Amino acid sequence: MKKSVFIASFILLIVVGWIGSGQFTNVNAQDDTSTNTESRTETVEKVVVEDSGNKVEVKEFNFSQIDQSIELQGQTTHNKKIDVKSETTGNITNISFKRGDEVSKGDELIKISIENRKELLNSAKKDLERLNKEIELNEQNKINRLSQNKELIKLYEIEFASAKQLIDKGLSSKSKLSLASFNLANARSDQEDILINFESQQSSIGAQIANVRSQLKNIELDINKTLINSPFSGIISDKMIEESEYI
């Protein structure tokens, strides 16, 4: 009987010691879990499952994303830089930008006063129109003069032939034949002079037309230059002019 009591007491002490050891382990596990949660910013839950007298400790970890960023300092440099300059003169009437503006290729930046450029353009156009009419009239006059000369040549040819026939028949003097021959030769010579004269006039008018067209083109180019556009897309880094300035 005493032996049975002794064995039961011994088993009881072992069970109490085993249970106490489990409780101490749980406290340490909870402390470790709290420490890891603070350092790793994780959510930890502990679940204790008892199955058939065995104790199992389960941990669930819920991870969260940590955004990391690095602050750096740098300096940008332009790929291409150009000083926009005027190719004509005049007062600035409008500036369509300010420092720091972003512009695209072809955007209008500066407008310069037209002044008398429109009058010069209209005058050149009128001169060109006048010269074109003059060259048409000259061509028509040449045609008329040549037509008249041809009729005159035919008349003198008939007169010469008649005078020759009369001389052959002894009915006229050689002086009339000589006069008819002289008139015919002059008429034919006039034909060549008409052609040479009108070709010279046409060349002169053509040279004047070419000169006026050149002036007209230069005036139109000068008018186009009163609008200064952006040569490429970029950012305005500086502004060194003001409205009403003369450039």
Side-chain angles (χ1 to χ4, degrees), residues 61-148:
F61 295 87
N62 296 325
F63 294 92
S64 61
Q65 184 177 358
I66 300 176
D67 294 329
Q68 296 181 347
S69 61
I70 301 175
E71 294 184 2
L72 299 175
Q73 292 183 349
Q75 184 176 3
T76 60
T77 182
H78 52 265
N79 182 40
K80 182 166 55 175
K81 183 178 180 180
I82 187 174
D83 292 333
V84 179
K85 298 180 180 180
S86 173
E87 297 182 12
T88 188
T89 59
N91 293 95
I92 298 175
T93 59
N94 184 54
I95 298 177
S96 305
F97 69 90
K98 59 181 180 295
R99 184 178 179 183
D101 283 354
E102 184 175 351
V103 296
S104 300
K105 182 179 180 180
D107 286 351
E108 181 181 316
L109 302 178
I110 300 171
K111 188 174 183 179
I112 301 173
S113 59
I114 294 292
E115 297 180 354
N116 66 335
R117 293 179 176 88
K118 288 290 186 180
E119 289 76 7
L120 293 174
L121 180 65
N122 293 332
S123 178
K125 287 181 177 180
K126 290 180 179 179
D127 288 342
L128 183 60
E129 184 179 356
R130 175 182 57 80
L131 290 170
N132 284 328
K133 289 182 179 180
E134 187 174 339
I135 203 169
E136 290 178 1
L137 291 173
N138 191 61
E139 182 67 24
Q140 188 62 42
N141 289 336
K142 182 185 74 171
I143 294 173
N144 294 336
R145 289 285 304 277
L146 288 175
S147 178
Q148 293 174 2

Coordinates of all heavy atoms in Angstrom, one line a residue, residues 61-148:
F61 N 2.3 34.4 -39.5 CA 3.0 35.7 -39.8 C 2.3 36.4 -41.0 O 2.0 35.8 -42.0 CB 4.5 35.4 -40.3 CG 5.3 34.8 -39.2 CD1 5.4 33.4 -39.0 CD2 6.1 35.7 -38.4 CE1 6.1 32.9 -38.0 CE2 6.8 35.1 -37.4 CZ 6.9 33.7 -37.2
N62 N 1.9 37.7 -40.7 CA 1.3 38.5 -41.8 C 2.3 39.6 -42.2 O 2.6 40.5 -41.4 CB 0.0 39.1 -41.2 CG -1.0 38.1 -40.9 OD1 -1.1 37.1 -41.6 ND2 -1.8 38.3 -39.9
F63 N 2.8 39.5 -43.4 CA 3.8 40.4 -43.9 C 3.1 41.6 -44.5 O 2.1 41.5 -45.2 CB 4.7 39.7 -44.9 CG 5.6 38.6 -44.3 CD1 5.1 37.3 -44.3 CD2 6.8 38.9 -43.7 CE1 5.9 36.3 -43.7 CE2 7.5 37.9 -43.2 CZ 7.1 36.6 -43.2
S64 N 3.7 42.8 -44.3 CA 3.3 44.0 -45.0 C 4.4 44.6 -45.8 O 5.6 44.4 -45.4 CB 2.8 45.0 -44.0 OG 3.9 45.3 -43.1
Q65 N 4.1 45.3 -47.0 CA 5.1 45.8 -47.8 C 5.7 47.1 -47.2 O 5.0 48.0 -46.7 CB 4.5 46.2 -49.2 CG 5.5 46.7 -50.2 CD 4.9 47.0 -51.5 OE1 3.7 46.7 -51.7 NE2 5.6 47.5 -52.5
I66 N 7.0 47.2 -47.3 CA 7.7 48.3 -46.8 C 8.3 49.1 -48.0 O 9.0 48.6 -48.8 CB 8.9 47.9 -45.9 CG1 8.3 47.1 -44.7 CG2 9.7 49.1 -45.4 CD1 9.4 46.5 -43.8
D67 N 7.8 50.4 -48.1 CA 8.3 51.2 -49.2 C 9.6 51.9 -48.8 O 9.7 52.5 -47.8 CB 7.3 52.3 -49.5 CG 6.0 51.8 -50.1 OD1 6.1 50.7 -50.8 OD2 4.9 52.4 -49.8
Q68 N 10.6 51.7 -49.7 CA 11.9 52.2 -49.5 C 12.2 53.3 -50.5 O 12.0 53.1 -51.7 CB 13.0 51.1 -49.5 CG 12.8 50.1 -48.4 CD 13.9 49.1 -48.4 OE1 14.6 49.0 -49.4 NE2 14.0 48.3 -47.3
S69 N 12.8 54.4 -50.2 CA 13.1 55.4 -51.1 C 14.5 56.0 -50.8 O 14.9 56.0 -49.6 CB 12.1 56.6 -51.1 OG 12.1 57.2 -49.8
I70 N 15.2 56.5 -51.8 CA 16.5 57.1 -51.7 C 16.5 58.5 -52.2 O 16.1 58.7 -53.4 CB 17.6 56.2 -52.4 CG1 17.6 54.8 -51.8 CG2 18.9 56.9 -52.2 CD1 18.5 53.9 -52.6
E71 N 16.9 59.4 -51.5 CA 16.9 60.8 -51.9 C 18.3 61.1 -52.5 O 19.3 60.9 -51.8 CB 16.6 61.8 -50.8 CG 15.1 61.7 -50.3 CD 14.8 62.7 -49.3 OE1 15.7 63.5 -48.9 OE2 13.7 62.7 -48.8
L72 N 18.4 61.5 -53.7 CA 19.6 61.9 -54.4 C 19.6 63.3 -55.0 O 18.5 63.8 -55.3 CB 19.9 60.9 -55.5 CG 20.1 59.4 -55.1 CD1 20.2 58.6 -56.4 CD2 21.3 59.2 -54.2
Q73 N 20.7 63.9 -55.1 CA 20.8 65.2 -55.7 C 21.6 65.1 -57.0 O 22.6 64.4 -57.1 CB 21.5 66.2 -54.7 CG 20.7 66.6 -53.5 CD 21.4 67.6 -52.6 OE1 22.5 67.9 -52.8 NE2 20.6 68.1 -51.7
G74 N 21.1 65.8 -58.0 CA 21.7 65.8 -59.3 C 21.6 67.1 -60.0 O 20.9 68.0 -59.5
Q75 N 22.2 67.2 -61.2 CA 22.1 68.4 -62.0 C 21.9 68.1 -63.4 O 22.6 67.2 -64.0 CB 23.4 69.2 -61.8 CG 23.4 70.6 -62.6 CD 24.7 71.3 -62.3 OE1 25.6 70.8 -61.7 NE2 24.8 72.5 -62.9
T76 N 20.9 68.7 -64.1 CA 20.6 68.5 -65.5 C 21.3 69.5 -66.4 O 21.6 70.6 -65.9 CB 19.1 68.6 -65.7 OG1 18.6 69.9 -65.4 CG2 18.3 67.6 -64.9
T77 N 21.6 69.1 -67.6 CA 22.2 70.0 -68.5 C 21.5 69.9 -69.9 O 20.9 68.8 -70.2 CB 23.7 69.6 -68.7 OG1 24.3 70.5 -69.7 CG2 23.8 68.2 -69.3
H78 N 21.5 71.0 -70.6 CA 20.7 71.0 -71.9 C 21.4 70.1 -72.9 O 22.6 70.0 -73.0 CB 20.6 72.4 -72.4 CG 21.9 73.2 -72.5 ND1 22.4 74.0 -71.4 CD2 22.9 73.1 -73.4 CE1 23.6 74.4 -71.8 NE2 23.9 74.0 -73.0
N79 N 20.6 69.6 -73.8 CA 21.1 68.8 -75.0 C 21.5 69.7 -76.1 O 22.4 69.5 -76.8 CB 20.0 67.8 -75.4 CG 20.5 67.0 -76.6 OD1 21.7 66.5 -76.6 ND2 19.6 66.7 -77.5
K80 N 20.8 70.8 -76.3 CA 21.1 71.8 -77.3 C 20.6 73.2 -76.9 O 19.6 73.3 -76.3 CB 20.3 71.4 -78.6 CG 20.5 72.2 -79.8 CD 20.0 71.6 -81.1 CE 18.6 71.2 -81.0 NZ 18.1 70.6 -82.3
K81 N 21.4 74.2 -77.2 CA 21.1 75.5 -76.8 C 21.5 76.5 -77.9 O 22.4 76.3 -78.6 CB 22.0 75.9 -75.5 CG 21.7 77.3 -75.0 CD 22.5 77.6 -73.7 CE 22.2 79.0 -73.2 NZ 23.0 79.3 -72.0
I82 N 20.6 77.5 -78.1 CA 20.8 78.5 -79.2 C 20.3 79.8 -78.7 O 19.3 79.9 -78.0 CB 20.1 78.0 -80.5 CG1 20.4 78.9 -81.6 CG2 18.6 77.9 -80.3 CD1 19.9 78.4 -83.0
D83 N 20.9 80.9 -79.2 CA 20.5 82.2 -78.9 C 19.6 82.6 -80.1 O 20.1 82.7 -81.3 CB 21.6 83.2 -78.8 CG 22.4 82.9 -77.5 OD1 21.8 82.4 -76.5 OD2 23.6 83.3 -77.5
V84 N 18.3 82.9 -79.9 CA 17.4 83.3 -81.0 C 17.6 84.7 -81.3 O 17.5 85.6 -80.4 CB 15.9 83.0 -80.6 CG1 15.0 83.4 -81.7 CG2 15.8 81.5 -80.3
K85 N 18.0 85.0 -82.5 CA 18.3 86.4 -83.0 C 17.4 86.8 -84.1 O 17.0 86.0 -84.9 CB 19.8 86.6 -83.3 CG 20.7 86.3 -82.2 CD 22.2 86.5 -82.6 CE 23.1 86.2 -81.4 NZ 24.5 86.3 -81.8
S86 N 17.2 88.1 -84.2 CA 16.4 88.6 -85.3 C 17.2 88.8 -86.6 O 18.4 89.1 -86.5 CB 15.8 90.0 -85.0 OG 15.2 90.6 -86.1
E87 N 16.6 88.5 -87.8 CA 17.3 88.7 -89.1 C 16.8 89.9 -89.8 O 17.2 90.1 -91.0 CB 17.0 87.4 -89.9 CG 17.6 86.2 -89.3 CD 17.4 85.0 -90.2 OE1 17.0 85.1 -91.3 OE2 17.6 83.8 -89.7
T88 N 16.0 90.7 -89.1 CA 15.6 92.0 -89.7 C 15.5 93.1 -88.6 O 15.8 92.8 -87.4 CB 14.2 91.8 -90.4 OG1 13.9 93.0 -91.1 CG2 13.1 91.6 -89.4
T89 N 15.1 94.3 -89.0 CA 15.1 95.4 -88.0 C 13.7 95.9 -87.8 O 12.8 95.7 -88.6 CB 16.0 96.5 -88.5 OG1 15.5 97.0 -89.8 CG2 17.4 96.1 -88.6
G90 N 13.5 96.5 -86.6 CA 12.2 97.1 -86.3 C 11.9 97.1 -84.8 O 12.7 96.6 -84.0
N91 N 10.8 97.6 -84.4 CA 10.4 97.7 -83.0 C 9.6 96.4 -82.7 O 8.8 95.9 -83.4 CB 9.5 98.9 -82.7 CG 10.3 100.2 -82.9 OD1 10.2 100.8 -83.9 ND2 11.0 100.6 -81.9
I92 N 9.9 95.9 -81.5 CA 9.2 94.7 -81.0 C 7.8 95.1 -80.6 O 7.6 95.9 -79.7 CB 10.0 94.1 -79.8 CG1 11.4 93.6 -80.3 CG2 9.2 92.9 -79.2 CD1 12.3 93.1 -79.2
T93 N 6.8 94.5 -81.2 CA 5.4 94.8 -80.9 C 4.8 93.7 -79.9 O 3.8 94.0 -79.3 CB 4.6 94.9 -82.1 OG1 4.7 93.6 -82.9 CG2 5.1 96.0 -83.0
N94 N 5.4 92.5 -79.9 CA 4.8 91.5 -79.0 C 5.8 90.4 -78.7 O 6.6 90.0 -79.5 CB 3.6 90.8 -79.7 CG 2.9 89.8 -78.8 OD1 2.5 90.2 -77.7 ND2 2.7 88.6 -79.3
I95 N 5.8 90.0 -77.4 CA 6.7 88.9 -76.9 C 5.7 87.9 -76.3 O 5.0 88.1 -75.4 CB 7.7 89.4 -75.9 CG1 8.6 90.4 -76.5 CG2 8.5 88.2 -75.3 CD1 9.6 91.0 -75.5
S96 N 5.8 86.7 -76.9 CA 4.8 85.6 -76.5 C 5.4 84.6 -75.5 O 4.9 83.5 -75.5 CB 4.3 84.9 -77.8 OG 3.8 85.8 -78.7
F97 N 6.4 85.0 -74.8 CA 7.0 84.0 -73.8 C 7.6 84.7 -72.6 O 7.7 86.0 -72.6 CB 8.1 83.2 -74.5 CG 9.3 84.0 -74.9 CD1 10.4 84.2 -74.0 CD2 9.4 84.7 -76.1 CE1 11.5 85.0 -74.3 CE2 10.5 85.5 -76.4 CZ 11.5 85.6 -75.5
K98 N 7.9 84.0 -71.6 CA 8.6 84.5 -70.5 C 9.6 83.4 -70.0 O 9.5 82.3 -70.5 CB 7.6 84.8 -69.3 CG 6.8 83.7 -68.8 CD 5.9 84.2 -67.7 CE 5.0 83.1 -67.1 NZ 4.1 82.6 -68.1
R99 N 10.5 83.8 -69.2 CA 11.6 82.9 -68.8 C 11.0 81.6 -68.1 O 10.1 81.7 -67.3 CB 12.5 83.6 -67.8 CG 13.7 82.7 -67.5 CD 14.7 83.5 -66.5 NE 15.8 82.7 -66.1 CZ 16.7 83.1 -65.3 NH1 16.7 84.3 -64.8 NH2 17.7 82.3 -65.0
G100 N 11.4 80.5 -68.5 CA 11.0 79.2 -68.0 C 9.9 78.6 -68.7 O 9.5 77.4 -68.4
D101 N 9.3 79.3 -69.7 CA 8.2 78.7 -70.5 C 8.7 77.5 -71.4 O 9.8 77.5 -71.9 CB 7.6 79.7 -71.4 CG 6.7 80.7 -70.7 OD1 6.4 80.4 -69.5 OD2 6.2 81.7 -71.2
E102 N 7.9 76.5 -71.6 CA 8.1 75.4 -72.5 C 7.5 75.7 -73.8 O 6.3 76.0 -73.9 CB 7.6 74.1 -71.9 CG 8.0 72.9 -72.7 CD 7.5 71.6 -72.1 OE1 7.1 71.6 -70.9 OE2 7.6 70.5 -72.7
V103 N 8.3 75.6 -74.9 CA 7.8 76.0 -76.2 C 8.0 74.8 -77.1 O 8.9 73.9 -76.9 CB 8.5 77.2 -76.8 CG1 8.1 78.4 -76.0 CG2 10.0 77.0 -76.9
S104 N 7.2 74.7 -78.2 CA 7.3 73.7 -79.2 C 7.9 74.3 -80.5 O 7.9 75.5 -80.7 CB 6.0 73.1 -79.5 OG 5.4 72.5 -78.4
K105 N 8.4 73.4 -81.3 CA 9.0 73.9 -82.6 C 8.0 74.6 -83.4 O 6.9 74.1 -83.6 CB 9.6 72.7 -83.4 CG 10.2 73.1 -84.7 CD 10.8 71.9 -85.4 CE 11.5 72.3 -86.7 NZ 12.0 71.1 -87.4
G106 N 8.3 75.8 -83.9 CA 7.4 76.6 -84.7 C 6.5 77.6 -84.0 O 5.8 78.4 -84.6
D107 N 6.6 77.6 -82.6 CA 5.8 78.5 -81.8 C 6.3 79.9 -82.0 O 7.5 80.2 -82.1 CB 5.8 78.1 -80.4 CG 5.0 76.9 -80.0 OD1 4.3 76.4 -80.9 OD2 5.1 76.4 -78.9
E108 N 5.3 80.9 -82.1 CA 5.7 82.3 -82.3 C 6.3 82.8 -81.0 O 5.7 82.7 -79.9 CB 4.5 83.1 -82.7 CG 4.8 84.6 -82.9 CD 3.6 85.4 -83.3 OE1 2.8 84.9 -84.1 OE2 3.4 86.5 -82.7
L109 N 7.5 83.4 -81.1 CA 8.1 84.0 -79.9 C 8.1 85.5 -79.9 O 7.7 86.1 -78.8 CB 9.6 83.5 -79.8 CG 9.8 82.0 -79.8 CD1 11.3 81.7 -79.8 CD2 9.2 81.4 -78.6
I110 N 8.5 86.1 -81.0 CA 8.6 87.6 -81.0 C 7.9 88.1 -82.3 O 8.1 87.5 -83.4 CB 10.0 88.0 -81.0 CG1 10.7 87.5 -79.7 CG2 10.2 89.6 -81.1 CD1 12.2 87.7 -79.6
K111 N 7.3 89.2 -82.3 CA 6.7 89.9 -83.4 C 7.3 91.3 -83.6 O 7.3 92.0 -82.6 CB 5.2 90.0 -83.3 CG 4.5 90.4 -84.6 CD 3.0 90.4 -84.4 CE 2.3 90.8 -85.7 NZ 0.8 90.7 -85.6
I112 N 7.8 91.6 -84.8 CA 8.4 92.9 -85.1 C 7.5 93.7 -86.0 O 6.8 93.2 -86.8 CB 9.8 92.6 -85.7 CG1 10.7 91.8 -84.8 CG2 10.5 94.0 -86.1 CD1 12.0 91.4 -85.5
S113 N 7.5 95.0 -85.8 CA 6.7 95.9 -86.6 C 6.9 95.8 -88.1 O 8.0 95.6 -88.5 CB 6.9 97.4 -86.1 OG 8.2 97.7 -86.3
I114 N 5.8 95.8 -88.8 CA 5.9 95.7 -90.3 C 6.4 97.0 -90.9 O 7.2 96.9 -91.9 CB 4.5 95.4 -90.9 CG1 4.0 94.0 -90.4 CG2 4.5 95.5 -92.4 CD1 4.8 92.9 -91.0
E115 N 6.1 98.1 -90.3 CA 6.5 99.4 -90.9 C 6.1 99.6 -92.3 O 4.9 99.4 -92.6 CB 8.0 99.6 -90.7 CG 8.4 99.6 -89.2 CD 9.9 99.8 -88.9 OE1 10.6 99.8 -89.9 OE2 10.3 99.9 -87.8
N116 N 7.0 99.9 -93.3 CA 6.6 100.2 -94.6 C 6.7 99.0 -95.5 O 6.7 99.1 -96.8 CB 7.4 101.4 -95.2 CG 8.9 101.0 -95.3 OD1 9.4 100.1 -94.6 ND2 9.6 101.7 -96.2
R117 N 6.9 97.8 -95.0 CA 7.1 96.6 -95.8 C 5.9 96.3 -96.6 O 6.0 95.8 -97.8 CB 7.5 95.5 -94.9 CG 8.8 95.6 -94.2 CD 9.1 94.4 -93.3 NE 10.4 94.5 -92.7 CZ 10.7 95.1 -91.5 NH1 9.7 95.7 -90.9 NH2 11.9 95.1 -91.0
K118 N 4.7 96.5 -96.1 CA 3.5 96.2 -96.9 C 3.4 97.1 -98.1 O 3.1 96.7 -99.2 CB 2.3 96.4 -96.0 CG 2.1 95.4 -95.0 CD 1.7 94.0 -95.6 CE 1.4 93.0 -94.5 NZ 1.0 91.7 -95.0
E119 N 3.8 98.4 -97.9 CA 3.8 99.4 -99.1 C 4.8 99.0 -100.1 O 4.5 99.0 -101.3 CB 4.0 100.8 -98.6 CG 2.9 101.4 -97.8 CD 2.8 100.9 -96.4 OE1 3.7 100.1 -95.9 OE2 1.9 101.3 -95.6
L120 N 6.0 98.6 -99.7 CA 7.0 98.1 -100.6 C 6.5 96.9 -101.4 O 6.8 96.7 -102.6 CB 8.3 97.8 -99.9 CG 9.0 99.0 -99.3 CD1 10.2 98.6 -98.5 CD2 9.4 100.0 -100.4
L121 N 5.8 96.0 -100.7 CA 5.3 94.8 -101.3 C 4.3 95.1 -102.4 O 4.3 94.6 -103.5 CB 4.8 93.8 -100.2 CG 4.2 92.5 -100.7 CD1 5.3 91.6 -101.3 CD2 3.5 91.8 -99.6
N122 N 3.3 96.0 -102.0 CA 2.3 96.3 -103.0 C 2.9 97.1 -104.2 O 2.5 96.9 -105.3 CB 1.3 97.2 -102.3 CG 0.5 96.5 -101.3 OD1 0.3 95.2 -101.4 ND2 0.0 97.2 -100.2
S123 N 3.9 97.9 -104.0 CA 4.5 98.6 -105.1 C 5.2 97.7 -106.0 O 5.2 97.8 -107.2 CB 5.5 99.7 -104.5 OG 6.2 100.3 -105.5
A124 N 5.9 96.7 -105.4 CA 6.6 95.7 -106.3 C 5.6 94.9 -107.1 O 5.9 94.6 -108.3 CB 7.5 94.8 -105.4
K125 N 4.5 94.5 -106.5 CA 3.5 93.8 -107.2 C 2.9 94.6 -108.4 O 2.7 94.0 -109.4 CB 2.4 93.4 -106.2 CG 2.8 92.3 -105.3 CD 1.6 91.9 -104.4 CE 2.0 90.7 -103.4 NZ 0.9 90.3 -102.5
K126 N 2.7 95.9 -108.1 CA 2.2 96.7 -109.2 C 3.2 96.8 -110.3 O 2.9 96.8 -111.5 CB 1.8 98.1 -108.7 CG 0.6 98.1 -107.8 CD 0.3 99.5 -107.3 CE -1.0 99.5 -106.4 NZ -1.3 100.8 -105.9
D127 N 4.5 97.0 -110.0 CA 5.5 97.1 -111.0 C 5.6 95.8 -111.8 O 5.8 95.8 -113.1 CB 6.9 97.3 -110.4 CG 7.0 98.8 -109.8 OD1 6.2 99.6 -110.3 OD2 7.9 99.0 -109.0
L128 N 5.5 94.7 -111.2 CA 5.5 93.4 -111.9 C 4.3 93.3 -112.8 O 4.4 92.8 -113.9 CB 5.5 92.2 -110.9 CG 5.6 90.8 -111.4 CD1 6.9 90.7 -112.2 CD2 5.5 89.8 -110.3
E129 N 3.2 93.7 -112.3 CA 2.0 93.6 -113.2 C 2.1 94.5 -114.4 O 1.7 94.2 -115.5 CB 0.7 94.0 -112.3 CG -0.6 93.9 -113.1 CD -1.8 94.3 -112.2 OE1 -1.5 94.6 -111.0 OE2 -2.9 94.4 -112.7
R130 N 2.7 95.7 -114.2 CA 2.8 96.7 -115.3 C 3.8 96.1 -116.3 O 3.6 96.2 -117.5 CB 3.4 98.0 -114.7 CG 3.7 99.0 -115.8 CD 4.3 100.3 -115.2 NE 5.4 100.0 -114.4 CZ 6.7 99.8 -114.8 NH1 6.9 99.9 -116.2 NH2 7.7 99.6 -114.0
L131 N 4.9 95.5 -115.9 CA 5.9 95.0 -116.8 C 5.4 93.8 -117.6 O 5.7 93.6 -118.8 CB 7.2 94.6 -116.0 CG 8.0 95.8 -115.5 CD1 9.1 95.3 -114.5 CD2 8.6 96.6 -116.6
N132 N 4.6 93.0 -116.9 CA 4.0 91.8 -117.6 C 3.0 92.3 -118.7 O 3.0 91.7 -119.8 CB 3.2 91.0 -116.6 CG 4.1 90.1 -115.8 OD1 5.2 89.7 -116.2 ND2 3.7 89.8 -114.6
K133 N 2.2 93.4 -118.4 CA 1.4 93.9 -119.5 C 2.2 94.6 -120.6 O 1.9 94.5 -121.8 CB 0.5 95.0 -118.9 CG -0.6 94.4 -118.0 CD -1.5 95.5 -117.4 CE -2.6 94.9 -116.6 NZ -3.5 96.0 -116.1
E134 N 3.3 95.2 -120.2 CA 4.2 95.8 -121.2 C 4.8 94.8 -122.2 O 4.9 95.1 -123.4 CB 5.3 96.6 -120.5 CG 6.1 97.5 -121.4 CD 7.1 98.4 -120.7 OE1 6.8 98.6 -119.5 OE2 8.1 98.8 -121.3
I135 N 5.2 93.7 -121.6 CA 5.8 92.7 -122.5 C 4.7 92.1 -123.4 O 5.0 91.7 -124.6 CB 6.5 91.6 -121.6 CG1 7.6 90.9 -122.5 CG2 5.5 90.6 -121.0 CD1 8.5 90.0 -121.7
E136 N 3.5 92.0 -122.9 CA 2.4 91.5 -123.8 C 2.1 92.5 -124.9 O 1.9 92.1 -126.1 CB 1.2 91.2 -123.0 CG 1.3 90.1 -122.0 CD 0.0 89.9 -121.2 OE1 -0.9 90.7 -121.4 OE2 0.0 89.0 -120.3
L137 N 2.1 93.8 -124.6 CA 1.8 94.8 -125.6 C 3.0 94.8 -126.6 O 2.7 95.0 -127.8 CB 1.7 96.2 -124.9 CG 0.4 96.4 -124.1 CD1 0.4 97.7 -123.4 CD2 -0.8 96.3 -125.0
N138 N 4.2 94.7 -126.1 CA 5.3 94.7 -127.0 C 5.3 93.5 -128.0 O 5.6 93.7 -129.2 CB 6.6 94.6 -126.2 CG 7.9 94.9 -127.0 OD1 8.0 96.0 -127.6 ND2 8.8 93.9 -127.1
E139 N 4.9 92.4 -127.5 CA 4.7 91.2 -128.4 C 3.6 91.5 -129.4 O 3.8 91.1 -130.6 CB 4.4 90.0 -127.6 CG 4.3 88.7 -128.3 CD 5.6 88.3 -128.9 OE1 6.7 88.7 -128.4 OE2 5.6 87.5 -130.0
Q140 N 2.5 92.1 -129.0 CA 1.5 92.4 -130.0 C 1.9 93.4 -131.0 O 1.6 93.3 -132.2 CB 0.2 92.9 -129.2 CG -1.0 93.0 -130.0 CD -1.5 91.7 -130.6 OE1 -1.5 90.7 -130.0 NE2 -1.9 91.7 -131.9
N141 N 2.6 94.4 -130.5 CA 3.1 95.4 -131.5 C 4.1 94.8 -132.5 O 4.1 95.2 -133.7 CB 3.9 96.5 -130.7 CG 2.9 97.4 -130.0 OD1 1.7 97.5 -130.3 ND2 3.4 98.1 -128.9
K142 N 4.9 93.9 -132.1 CA 5.8 93.2 -133.0 C 5.0 92.5 -134.1 O 5.4 92.5 -135.3 CB 6.7 92.3 -132.2 CG 7.7 91.6 -133.1 CD 8.5 90.5 -132.3 CE 7.7 89.3 -132.1 NZ 8.5 88.2 -131.5
I143 N 4.0 91.8 -133.6 CA 3.2 91.0 -134.6 C 2.5 92.0 -135.6 O 2.5 91.7 -136.8 CB 2.1 90.2 -133.9 CG1 2.8 89.1 -133.0 CG2 1.1 89.6 -134.8 CD1 1.8 88.4 -132.1
N144 N 2.0 93.1 -135.1 CA 1.4 94.1 -136.0 C 2.4 94.7 -137.0 O 2.1 94.9 -138.2 CB 0.7 95.2 -135.2 CG -0.5 94.7 -134.4 OD1 -1.1 93.7 -134.7 ND2 -0.8 95.4 -133.3
R145 N 3.6 95.1 -136.5 CA 4.6 95.7 -137.3 C 5.1 94.7 -138.4 O 5.3 95.0 -139.6 CB 5.8 96.1 -136.5 CG 5.5 97.3 -135.6 CD 5.5 98.6 -136.5 NE 6.7 98.8 -137.2 CZ 7.8 99.3 -136.8 NH1 7.9 99.8 -135.5 NH2 8.9 99.5 -137.5
L146 N 5.3 93.4 -138.0 CA 5.7 92.4 -139.0 C 4.6 92.2 -140.1 O 4.9 92.0 -141.2 CB 6.0 91.1 -138.3 CG 7.3 91.1 -137.5 CD1 7.5 89.8 -136.7 CD2 8.5 91.3 -138.4
S147 N 3.3 92.2 -139.6 CA 2.3 92.0 -140.6 C 2.2 93.2 -141.6 O 2.1 92.9 -142.8 CB 0.9 91.9 -139.8 OG -0.1 91.8 -140.7
Q148 N 2.4 94.4 -141.1 CA 2.4 95.6 -142.0 C 3.6 95.5 -142.9 O 3.5 95.8 -144.1 CB 2.5 96.8 -141.2 CG 1.2 97.1 -140.4 CD 1.4 98.3 -139.5 OE1 2.4 99.0 -139.5 NE2 0.3 98.6 -138.7

